[in-house]
Each structure stands twice: as C-alpha cells, then as structure tokens.
Amino acid sequence: MKSRTTPSRLRIAAAASVAMAMGTVGLTALTGTASAATDDVTVQYRTSATGVTADQAEPWLKVRNTGSSTLPLSSVKVRYYFKADSAGAAYRFACSWAVKGCANITGTFGTLANPTATADRYLDIGFTAGAGTLAPGADTGDMQLRFHRADWQTLNQGDDYSFGPSQTSYADWSKVTAQVSGSTVWGTAPEGNDPTDPPTDPPTDPPAGGQSLFDDFNYTSSSDPKISANGWNVRANSGGPGVPGATWSPENVTFASSGGNSIMNLRTSTAGTAESTKHTEVLTKATKFKNGTYAARVKFADAPLSGPDGDHLVQTFFTINDLKAPMADDYAEYDFEYLPNGGWGEPANILYTTSWETYNPDPWQAVNQHTESRQSYAGWHDLVLTIDNSSIKYYVDGRLFGTHDAAYLPERPMSINFNQWLIDLAGQTSTTARSYDEQVDYVLHVKDQVLTPAQVAAKVSAYRTAGTAFEDNVPSS
C-alpha cells in the first residue's frame, strides 16, 4: 500500500485486534415499499438483544422466496439501518450460526448518503454462491447475526431505524430492505435514501475536456526508459510497509499482453524469510493529483503461482502524499487494499477502502474512515475513486462500494501508486518458495471531474480506439 509505516497497528490496537468499519459492495441505496404483486422476497426479523443499550446488536433474519421461480441467494442483498454512536465509531460483523452456513453469509458496513435522525450507517447482508438457492415458498432458516463496535464500547440501539426491541420472535419487518439482482423488492429505507447513486441510467459519455493522465502500461521491462520519461518510479529503495528486511524489487515488475491489452505485472515472492522476501511498487514521481476521478483495472489473486498458500498479502491501488509531522492535518491517502488470505486480525479474504485524514506513527493514532467487504475478489476488477468538494466515493465493478465523509477530503495533491507486499511471515511459515501476482491493465486520472464508472469505461475505450497508450496533461501542482 504505502511507502511509509503500514497502518496495521490501527487494525490490531483494539481488543478485537482490528479497528475496521463501514463497508458495502454490490448494493446501491435502497428505498420504497414493494407491492405484494412484485415481491420476490420477504424478510423476517427478530432480535436476541432487546435492550436499548447492549454489548452488541443481534439482528436475526430469515429471507423467504415469495416468487414463482427458484431464487439464487447470491442475487439477494438485505440491508439493516442504524445510527452510529459517534462519527468515528467503527463496527464489526459476525455470524453466530446460520442454517445456510456462516461461511456463505457476508456482512459489510456503509454510510448513508442522506443521514437521518435514526440512521446514518447500514449493514448489508449478502450471500456467496455456496448458499445455494431458495425454491418458491422456501426460506433461509435462521441467520443469527450480530455486530458490535470495534472497541467493544456499549451500543445504543434506541435510535436505530431497523431495531425492534419488542420483536422477540420472527415476523415480517419492513424496516429492513432487500434487493434481488439490484432491484428493491422489500422494505422501506430511511427517508431521503433513494437509489440514485449510481443512477438507474448513469451517463456513459464522458464530459468534454478534462486534464488527464492515462497509461496503458505498454512497456518492455522495468528498465524501459519510457517508464521514467512518462513520470513513473519503479521502487528499489528500502523501508516499509511490509516485512522488515525485505527488499523492493524492480525486476519483479514486468509487462506482457493479456486479452489484447498490455498489462503491468507486480510479483511478490518469498521463501519464508525476510531475506528472501521481495515486494513490488510502482508510483508516480509527481505529487500533482487531487480532486477528480481515479480509475484502474486490477487483477487480484487469491493463490500463489506455485507453492504453499496462506501468506498475509496486500494488493493495492492508492493515492498518497507525505506526512510532514505526526497528526499533520494536510496528510491525505485513499486506498483500495485486497487481502486474499486475511491479516491485521482478519482470518480470510477481505477488501478494504480507507480514506485517511492523518496519523501518528508512534504511539499509533489514526484518523480515517473505512469500508470493508469480506469475500473473495480474485480476478479482474474495475476500481474507481472519485473526490469532489463534498465526499470521497469508491466503486467496484460499476457499483458503489462506500462513501466517505468531507472530513477526509485532501488538502494537498498526491501521487498515484500500485504495490504488493506481505504484512508479515506469520500467515505461512513454510520455507518453500512461492510468489503472487497483481496485474494492472490501465490507470486513469481526470482532474477536477467526477466521472461515473460508465464514463470511465467510455474514456478508456476512446483512448484505445485512438491508439493512445499514454497521455499526461495534468499540470504540476
């Protein structure tokens, strides 16, 4: 992720060993009460934690197929709305028991675009393909779910929109919402949270003009002089993040062709020792990027090319500037980080996005906002980050992943970075050599313009149709 001390201590400082919060994936904002004629599912709710204050919230749910055809659960998303106890509170999701298996249920937190007196956050419940299907009239059975503050401080449920203290047995509950394949079919969202982001028919034509950086990564090797001429640095200097004593290896950055496009490949390798561990990073030499749109097509990997799996790997796309002093308020950083094997207290694959205001490296203190989704992201993904004067938004594969607050907007320009590194050597202790690849198809930045994912795709297509492999007319800051 970063060319400085990793923020891993933020995620291990609390009793639960992490301090992550707020994530969502694959689900746009929900609203509206579906009519009985068009319902595909109903959602039943009960709570096992009835107190206004509690150590954790326990929304137990059942999803019933009220349609006439078999329903893949992987197409279903259920959203529970609540009010955060403080602006910076972080939350963690857990599944205690489920008929469909906790391993097949995902929970991600997010921030509402239009907060109300009873809701400014939500918990999205999703299903992996392993959850299977529901026949007409069938339900999921018990899903005994819970969430708590990352610091284990007491929750106040009394002002939570979806909380029902008297619901001690299952019953239909319209204060949770459900979508099937992106369409709202059940429940009523808090007022003002219509599904308008992204819009139903997002614009596909990018706006005219716009000073841009585009790179198709059409190079021969890490020593190709065009890389430096085009403003990139292939890192060779020592230092964090990652395994102390590891090296940053320019020769592990290579270029090839895939699917008719040129790609950049970042390879991280280890044989279980610091001396054998090689990390990779490519970053812009200029720190001139601030508001606007950032986009990249990135291929994440869950498994090594060969050898034993399990290393605590971080695969990234991010922007950053330098921390001039501990807790300096003009620091900025915006991350996509994929951990295929967990780490930072997480047991399995997870995708984070993080917007940083500042931090103190020693003693560790951080001010940031997170989004997380616990599921596999192996394969190619379109990652889009937009920054304007009101918010930071992260998109994955065309869908809103998370919205972060204006308090985390950048004060100074940043560089654009890709890196891949190991948090530690505790995930896999074998001394058998193994390596992991992260691939990048392209990168795009458009200064001061907020593009939809569809507009990003159109702009990239236009570059490729014109045969433009590189452009940078973003002025120096």
Side-chain angles (χ1 to χ4, degrees):
M1 181 183 66
K2 306 161 183 65
S3 304
R4 53 116 175 130
T5 303
T6 171
S8 61
R9 280 173 288 178
L10 173 65
R11 296 171 182 133
I12 63 175
S17 299
V18 294
M20 287 291 116
M22 298 175 300
T24 181
V25 64
L27 184 64
T28 57
L30 303 171
T31 191
T33 302
S35 68
T38 58
D39 282 354
D40 292 317
V41 301
T42 59
V43 181
Q44 294 190 328
Y45 159 85
R46 61 161 292 193
T47 181
S48 184
T50 59
V52 171
T53 59
D55 290 337
Q56 55 190 351
E58 298 187 43
W60 293 13
L61 302 172
K62 289 183 182 180
V63 177
R64 178 178 293 277
N65 180 5
T66 56
S68 58
S69 59
T70 298
L71 177 69
L73 277 170
S74 59
S75 69
V76 177
K77 294 282 186 179
V78 177
R79 180 170 288 188
Y80 180 96
Y81 302 86
F82 66 99
K83 180 80 170 179
D85 295 316
S86 65
Y91 293 86
R92 297 201 63 202
F93 166 79
C95 172
S96 297
W97 185 81
V99 172
K100 290 294 184 178
C102 283
N104 296 315
I105 297 173
T106 63
T108 57
F109 294 96
T111 303
L112 286 179
N114 298 294
T116 71
T118 59
D120 57 11
R121 306 278 183 91
Y122 54 82
L123 168 63
D124 275 343
I125 304 301
F127 301 87
T128 70
T133 61
L134 287 181
D139 66 48
T140 57
D142 267 350
M143 294 187 291
Q144 298 180 8
L145 312 177
R146 55 191 173 89
F147 65 92
H148 59 83
R149 285 184 55 160
D151 57 9
W152 282 103
Q153 294 297 305
T154 299
L155 293 174
N156 174 23
Q157 300 188 93
D159 58 357
D160 290 352
Y161 177 86
S162 295
F163 176 58
S166 63
Q167 292 298 118
T168 56
S169 59
Y170 280 112
D172 290 355
W173 194 245
S174 64
K175 287 192 173 183
V176 296
T177 53
Q179 283 191 336
V180 175
S181 300
S183 297
T184 304
V185 298
W186 176 262
T188 304
E191 183 178 0
N193 289 280
D194 295 335
T196 57
D197 195 359
T200 303
D201 297 307
T204 56
D205 294 330
Q211 296 164 315
S212 303
L213 165 70
F214 172 75
D215 202 333
D216 216 11
F217 295 113
N218 189 7
Y219 303 108
T220 58
S221 70
S222 62
S223 59
D224 188 331
K226 289 195 302 180
I227 295 177
S228 180
N230 287 346
W232 294 100
N233 176 41
V234 183
R235 183 178 175 182
N237 59 294
S238 61
V243 175
T247 58
W248 293 83
S249 176
E251 63 270 19
N252 275 17
V253 177
T254 58
F255 300 87
S257 178
S258 176
N261 296 323
S262 53
I263 62 163
M264 176 172 66
N265 193 86
L266 284 72
R267 178 163 296 176
T268 291
S269 57
T270 189
T273 64
E275 294 75 16
S276 67
T277 301
K278 295 183 178 181
H279 299 150
T280 45
E281 181 169 28
V282 176
L283 63 155
T284 60
K285 292 186 284 186
T287 53
K288 62 179 182 178
F289 309 98
K290 193 182 176 187
N291 286 14
T293 300
Y294 301 80
R297 184 164 173 80
V298 178
K299 186 177 183 180
F300 297 129
D302 277 355
L305 299 175
S306 61
D309 196 2
D311 289 294
H312 291 157
L313 184 72
V314 184
Q315 301 175 318
T316 77
F317 166 43
F318 65 101
T319 70
I320 193 172
N321 60 30
D322 58 320
L323 183 74
K324 293 184 176 296
M327 302 303 288
D329 61 7
D330 62 350
Y331 176 73
E333 180 180 347
Y334 307 95
D335 305 326
F336 287 92
E337 296 174 294
Y338 181 54
L339 281 61
N341 295 313
W344 292 328
E346 291 292 333
N349 37 32
I350 186 168
L351 177 66
Y352 292 117
T353 60
T354 309
S355 299
W356 288 79
E357 170 61 19
T358 190
Y359 73 99
N360 183 6
D362 191 18
W364 183 252
Q365 183 180 1
V367 181
N368 57 27
Q369 191 170 354
H370 307 272
T371 299
E372 64 190 33
S373 178
R374 292 176 175 84
Q375 65 182 71
S376 172
Y377 281 87
W380 285 103
H381 295 284
D382 295 306
L383 309 178
V384 176
L385 160 69
T386 65
I387 304 173
D388 59 18
N389 290 322
S390 62
S391 66
I392 305 104
K393 294 186 178 181
Y394 297 86
Y395 297 84
V396 177
D397 297 331
R399 295 196 176 194
L400 183 65
F401 188 90
T403 300
H404 295 175
D405 301 335
Y408 304 93
L409 292 172
E411 292 83 10
R412 290 188 291 122
M414 302 166 287
S415 62
I416 297 174
N417 304 52
F418 299 90
N419 66 17
Q420 184 180 221
W421 47 281
L422 297 180
I423 298 170
D424 52 42
L425 297 173
Q428 173 55 260
T429 58
S430 171
T431 56
T432 301
R434 61 268 189 191
S435 59
Y436 300 82
D437 284 353
E438 174 187 357
Q439 297 181 346
V440 184
D441 183 15
Y442 70 83
V443 67
L444 171 71
H445 171 70
V446 183
K447 176 180 169 63
D448 294 332
Q449 288 185 358
V450 172
L451 275 61
T452 67
Q455 289 174 320
V456 167
K459 194 169 184 71
V460 171
S461 178
Y463 277 120
R464 288 176 164 168
T465 298
T468 302
F470 177 81
E471 177 182 82
D472 184 6
N473 52 36
V474 178
S476 299
S477 58

